[in-house]
């Protein structure tokens, strides 16, 4: 079975044709439980998310701030496994028809087996992977199997990335480019900052692939600001915090659905 990279491409193209940015939501698998995590993904899609990144919880999440680390810890203590990540992708995709990617560090894939991981992700209906710590120069094996199975390979660029490095990264990636809005870890910020716009402009000079901005966006006003210069707005910590702060799972699902609705309005007010 082939993965859903084409669905991802057409979803981003449709947002662009509608003169808006895509809303991309991030939630970790297995949080607060495997079943609860699946319902949370469905909830953000119901609220208006165009694309979802399902996080593969990891014990050493170097890019993630304290909010996502807390959720990952809950998922790991709950016994989440890669099979549960695949189940989350499958059930969310089958229920919604929305492109679902997995965001993961490289070590779990390396231990699981690249061929096995890509084959199972494609079979589950996944659209691709975001790989924040896989160096492009070491990615040939992954990209070979991802391409074979119809999966996007999304790399992360940062404000520190030099122009030549940006060109190397964007030439190797597919689906979209994940532009980290600032140096540091994930988390909500009072301001997304001018660094993000500059990075998007420099990245776009190297590729026609959509450029989506993450790290720091937490409300509709920030989503609208980023949507003014990016092809997609990625929101993670704000959704996870809404789940963490809720008194129970039902309230958490209502909160993330509501937040997705506010952010979806924001990306339409670019």
């Amino acid at each position: 079975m082939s993965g859903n990279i084409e669905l991802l491409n057409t979803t981003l193209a449709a947002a662009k044709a509608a003169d808006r940015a895509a809303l991309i939501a991030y939630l970790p698998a297995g949080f607060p439980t495997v079943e609860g995590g699946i319902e949370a993904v469905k909830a953000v899609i119901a609220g208006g998310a165009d694309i979802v990144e399902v996080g593969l919880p990891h014990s050493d999440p170097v890019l993630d701030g304290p909010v996502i680390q807390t959720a990952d810890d809950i998922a790991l203590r709950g016994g989440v496994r890669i099979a549960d990540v695949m189940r989350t992708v499958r059930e969310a995709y089958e229920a919604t028809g929305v492109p679902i990617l997995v965001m993961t560090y490289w070590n779990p894939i390396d231990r699981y087996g690249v061929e096995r991981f890509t084959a199972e992700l494609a079979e589950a209906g996944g659209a691709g992977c975001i790989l924040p710590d896989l160096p492009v120069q070491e990615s040939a094996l992954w990209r070979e199997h991802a391409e074979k199975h119809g999966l996007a390979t999304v790399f992360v660029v940062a404000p520190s990335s030099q122009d030549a490095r940006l060109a190397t990264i964007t030439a190797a990636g597919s689906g979209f480019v994940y532009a980290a809005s600032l140096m540091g870890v994930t988390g909500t910020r009072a301001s997304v900052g001018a660094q993000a716009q500059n990075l998007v402009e420099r990245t776009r000079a190297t590729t026609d692939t959509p450029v989506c901005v993450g790290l720091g966006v937490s409300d509709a006003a920030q989503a609208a600001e980023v949507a003014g210069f990016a092809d997609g707005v990625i929101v993670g910590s704000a959704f996870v915090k809404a789940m963490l702060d809720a008194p129970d799972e039902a309230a958490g699902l209502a909160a993330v659905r509501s937040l997705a609705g506010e952010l979806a309005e924001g990306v339409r007010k670019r």
Side-chain angles (χ1 to χ4, degrees), residues 38 75 129 153 155 162 177 269:
I38 293 167
C129 253
T153 297
F155 290 115
Q162 299 298 311
V177 182
K269 293 178 180 175

Side-chain angles (χ1 to χ4, degrees), residues 133-152:
D133 66 340
L134 177 63
V136 173
Q137 62 270 26
E138 297 175 19
S139 68
L141 179 65
W142 163 267
R143 287 187 286 124
E144 174 191 341
H145 288 288
E147 186 173 347
K148 180 172 78 171
H149 289 291
L151 299 169

Side-chain angles (χ1 to χ4, degrees), residues 13-110:
K16 184 176 183 178
D19 194 31
R20 68 174 181 86
L23 174 60
I24 304 174
Y26 166 93
L27 286 164
F31 167 73
T33 61
V34 174
E35 291 76 13
I38 293 167
E39 293 306 311
V41 173
K42 293 178 186 176
V44 295
I45 293 168
D50 299 290
I51 298 163
V52 176
E53 303 172 6
V54 171
L56 194 161
H58 188 50
S59 57
D60 186 25
V62 293
L63 184 69
D64 296 313
V67 171
I68 291 176
Q69 285 186 21
T70 298
D72 277 4
D73 185 57
I74 290 169
L76 290 167
R77 284 191 282 111
V80 71
R81 295 289 184 267
I82 288 178
D84 300 310
V85 177
M86 299 299 179
R87 178 187 163 198
T88 301
V89 171
R90 177 182 293 102
E91 294 193 15
Y93 169 66
E94 288 179 351
T96 67
V98 163
I100 313 288
L101 299 100
V102 169
M103 185 165 186
T104 178
Y105 297 98
W106 180 245
N107 182 258
I109 295 178
D110 192 38

